[in-house]
Amino acid sequence: MISLAGRDILHSWGKFIFTGVGLGLLIGVTFVMAGVYRGMVDDGKALLDNSGADLWVVQQNTLGPYAESSSLSDDLYRTISAMPGVAEVANVTYLTMQVRKDQRDVRSMVVGIVPGERFAAPGWPPYLVAGRYLTHGHYEAVADIATGFVIGDTVRIRRKDFTVVGLTRRMVSSSGDPMIFIPLKDAQEAQFLKDNDAIWQSRRRTEANPAFQQPSAMGVTQAVIDSQTTNNFVNAILVRLEPQVSQDEMAHLISRWKRLTVYTRADMEEILLGKLIATSARQISMFLVILAVVSAAIIAFIIYTLTMDKIREIAVLKLIGTRNRTIAAMIMQQALVLGIIGFVIGKITAAFAAPLFPKHVLLLTQDAFIGLFLVLVISALSSVIAIRMALKVDPAEAIGG
């Protein structure tokens, strides 16, 4: 039986190889699509891990700082740091934007952190691969190596130039954009400060407001103008707790007494994976289903064609007394061999193609085993049509015209 299937494969090896290559490329695309989804999940978890936070304090009734806009006064961290059970707190801003170097733009997430000597504070990159951390209050940056920047590069963020003094790795946003860390004051200005024309127009409107021209309102106009050009806001406060403190209990206390929304690590994972990535996950799932159906159709078609080409040989086998299950096993073995060839070529294709993608593509071993199982199941099911046709062959056709 095995020899019968093997001999038939060798007889039409050209069709098997070319079909296997085409099927393998299709399976390779399937693996890459699954790897894109895995990479998105891994980016989301890396974002939370690298933040070093146990709690995310954000504006009330928002999903910030990664899913929605959030704005908090930057002095709120003092009241939170005074609460029992809180080990460290840190203000942080997040802004996804285009960062320019010479004539090249890089899509990045600009993160504002407080420079200083607390290099392990929440929000800081956990390690560097080159250079040093931020030590000055202005005009320095630590960039992820995925940006393509090197030590000493000058990058432009909004209206200011920053010198790259350190490089880190795998510091990415939930969408896979590399991070650039700059001093908090500079980040606040980049995110919240208006451009010069907008400031001038706002100042002109304020000065023309009759409410500020009253004799009893001396100095009010200037105070309002000054308040319009200062930026005392952050997107979130990252909180690190003492080891024995419950995240859920502390989150409840802060949200109750400080009138803020607080998320634990589990909550943030739910937001990132259940809301930000959910739509992309459904799209990828639909593509995977379509690719599986197309793969099944290709295998079914080629096996059906090969079976049709040897109708007379099958009739001869039935005429000499070959059992139906032997013929069925031969056809199914051919389908399984075709599926295995496609799987091997697809796995190799995905392994070489994954590093070429701009986004993080994560190929897991468990996905490979699941893929192999599904390929074998699809191959076996795809051979059913050809098997049914072969079993209906009349032995008399062996001696017919």
Side-chain angles (χ1 to χ4, degrees):
M1 180 175 64
I2 297 177
S3 175
L4 192 62
R7 287 178 180 273
D8 188 64
I9 291 174
L10 292 176
H11 178 71
S12 55
W13 65 272
K15 289 183 179 180
F16 261 82
I17 295 298
F18 285 112
T19 304
V21 171
L23 181 62
L25 295 177
L26 192 62
I27 293 175
V29 173
T30 305
F31 278 128
V32 171
M33 292 294 293
V36 168
Y37 170 72
R38 295 291 191 185
M40 293 169 61
V41 173
D42 189 62
D43 285 342
K45 292 183 176 180
L47 174 61
L48 300 182
D49 290 337
N50 294 334
S51 69
D54 297 317
L55 299 178
W56 285 257
V57 181
V58 298
Q59 182 180 342
Q60 193 173 30
N61 300 323
T62 66
L63 296 176
Y66 310 122
E68 286 183 1
S69 176
S70 169
S71 181
L72 298 170
S73 296
D74 60 6
D75 59 355
L76 285 175
Y77 81 95
R78 294 188 178 94
T79 60
I80 297 175
S81 63
M83 298 182 67
V86 174
E88 283 186 283
V89 296
N91 287 325
V92 65
T93 64
Y94 297 101
L95 177 62
T96 300
M97 59 179 295
Q98 297 294 124
V99 176
R100 176 173 290 272
K101 177 184 178 295
D102 298 329
Q103 300 301 316
R104 181 170 66 95
D105 285 339
V106 178
R107 187 70 173 175
S108 306
M109 174 179 274
V110 177
V111 183
I113 57 177
V114 179
E117 298 182 357
R118 294 192 307 151
F119 300 137
W124 280 71
Y127 64 93
L128 297 180
V129 296
R132 61 174 175 83
Y133 286 101
L134 305 180
T135 57
H136 295 79
H138 296 282
Y139 313 129
E140 290 186 342
V142 171
D144 189 274
I145 60 173
T147 58
F149 301 153
V150 297
I151 302 295
D153 278 350
T154 299
V155 299
R156 191 165 188 83
I157 300 175
R158 288 288 190 259
R159 292 174 292 177
K160 292 185 177 180
D161 292 331
F162 294 80
T163 300
V164 178
V165 297
L167 297 176
T168 185
R169 185 190 302 272
R170 280 298 290 151
M171 297 295 297
V172 295
S173 68
S174 59
S175 59
D177 298 320
M179 287 183 172
I180 298 177
F181 297 86
I182 64 175
L184 180 63
K185 292 298 182 181
D186 291 335
Q188 288 176 310
E189 182 175 344
Q191 181 168 356
F192 299 109
L193 185 61
K194 301 175 183 178
D195 60 80
N196 291 334
D197 289 337
I199 293 174
W200 180 83
Q201 292 175 11
S202 177
R203 182 178 299 173
R204 182 176 59 84
R205 293 190 184 98
T206 300
E207 292 174 344
N209 191 331
F212 298 136
Q213 306 303 322
Q214 303 296 328
S216 60
M218 296 298 295
V220 174
T221 303
Q222 187 60 43
V224 172
I225 292 175
D226 292 341
S227 67
Q228 292 173 345
T229 55
T230 57
N231 304 281
N232 300 316
F233 299 99
V234 294
N235 297 129
I237 300 174
L238 305 183
V239 180
R240 183 177 295 161
L241 303 176
E242 299 288 350
Q244 73 279 5
V245 178
S246 169
Q247 293 186 12
D248 293 327
E249 292 180 2
M250 182 58 68
H252 175 71
L253 288 175
I254 296 176
S255 61
R256 178 182 179 184
W257 296 109
K258 306 303 178 184
R259 300 289 185 176
L260 300 169
T261 297
V262 185
Y263 295 109
T264 63
R265 169 61 187 261
D267 295 332
M268 291 306 300
E269 282 194 9
E270 175 61 26
I271 292 173
L272 288 178
L273 305 183
K275 292 182 173 60
L276 291 184
I277 302 178
T279 302
S280 298
R282 287 194 293 269
Q283 283 185 316
I284 293 175
S285 298
M286 292 182 64
F287 275 115
L288 293 178
V289 171
I290 293 173
L291 291 172
V293 172
V294 173
S295 300
I298 291 176
I299 296 175
F301 176 76
I302 192 64
I303 294 300
Y304 180 84
T305 302
L306 292 175
T307 304
M308 286 291 296
D309 291 342
K310 52 180 180 287
I311 287 293
R312 179 165 295 182
E313 288 80 356
I314 293 175
V316 172
L317 291 175
K318 300 185 77 172
L319 184 66
I320 63 178
T322 304
R323 292 177 295 181
N324 285 340
R325 67 179 184 182
T326 301
I327 298 174
M330 177 192 69
I331 297 174
M332 183 170 290
Q333 286 173 10
Q334 291 177 340
L336 293 176
V337 170
L338 184 60
I340 292 174
I341 293 174
F343 171 81
V344 172
I345 295 176
K347 191 69 176 67
I348 295 174
T349 301
F352 280 98
L356 302 178
F357 279 72
K359 296 291 186 181
H360 179 45
V361 179
L362 182 61
L363 302 177
L364 298 180
T365 304
Q366 65 186 48
D367 289 341
F369 284 109
I370 294 174
L372 177 60
F373 173 77
L374 293 177
V375 167
L376 294 178
V377 171
I378 291 174
S379 300
L381 294 177
S382 300
S383 65
V384 172
I385 298 176
I387 290 174
R388 290 187 60 183
M389 184 193 67
L391 297 183
K392 293 179 180 178
V393 173
D394 188 353
E397 293 187 21
I399 55 177

